[in-house]
Amino acid sequence: MAELVKDVMTTGVLTLPPDASLVEAARLMRDKDVGDVMVADDHRLLGVLTDRDITVRSVAMGHDPYIMPVRSVCTPDVLTVRPEEDTAEAVRLMRVHMVRRLAVVEDGRPLGVVTLGDLARSRDPRSALADISSAPPNSGA
């Protein structure tokens, strides 16, 4: 029997409106110990913002993170999967597009994210990637 994305994905997606500042986004990521948030408007996914996006597309460019909205630096063309999709399709999409995470959406609404780590834990719980992905927050870097 095939394993579904909904069985391995991380739920409880964090979202911010497109006009939220980068400082708001960074504080939310810090407080929740995550590296990305979904940018959504009226429950419709508009993009994904990562801590790297903030660093490379804003801070390194000299932009003011207090006034720069998340919509200005988020990745707008987000690869998505449905919760009922087979995890093999998620793996295929990650491999083809060379990405580490996919947004899980239903009817345009963000429900969660499936990461390389989620898939590693599901497929081989004893792998190094599964161990790293399962480590408690702030236990490493």
Side-chain angles (χ1 to χ4, degrees):
M1 187 166 153
E3 189 168 36
L4 303 179
V5 168
K6 71 179 183 178
D7 298 326
V8 301
M9 71 184 217
T10 301
T11 57
V13 63
L14 297 174
T15 62
L16 283 171
D19 58 345
S21 75
L22 294 177
V23 169
E24 290 175 73
R27 287 179 178 155
L28 179 62
M29 288 182 205
R30 177 201 62 204
D31 294 347
K32 300 297 183 178
D33 197 32
V34 297
D36 60 80
V37 295
M38 304 283 179
V39 179
D41 194 16
D42 296 324
H43 304 294
R44 184 175 50 98
L45 181 64
L46 301 175
V48 172
L49 179 73
T50 67
D51 48 6
R52 180 169 166 72
D53 293 334
I54 294 171
T55 302
V56 173
R57 296 180 181 168
S58 180
V59 175
M61 302 299 287
H63 300 142
D64 184 347
Y66 286 94
I67 61 171
M68 179 71 69
V70 296
R71 79 169 145 269
S72 298
V73 297
C74 73
T75 301
D77 299 318
V78 181
L79 285 171
T80 64
V81 291
R82 296 182 326 276
E84 300 298 327
E85 200 106 38
D86 190 308
T87 57
E89 176 61 9
V91 170
R92 187 192 73 74
L93 283 170
M94 287 180 181
R95 186 174 282 137
V96 167
H97 296 279
M98 297 173 53
V99 296
R100 295 181 181 129
R101 65 181 61 88
L102 300 169
V104 181
V105 299
E106 192 164 57
D107 299 324
R109 278 186 9 255
L111 301 177
V113 64
V114 62
T115 67
L116 205 52
D118 294 331
L119 294 166
R121 279 192 303 275
S122 156
R123 289 176 169 229
D124 184 3
R126 295 183 316 211
S127 72
L129 182 56
D131 286 347
I132 292 167
S133 298
S134 297
N138 297 317
S139 64

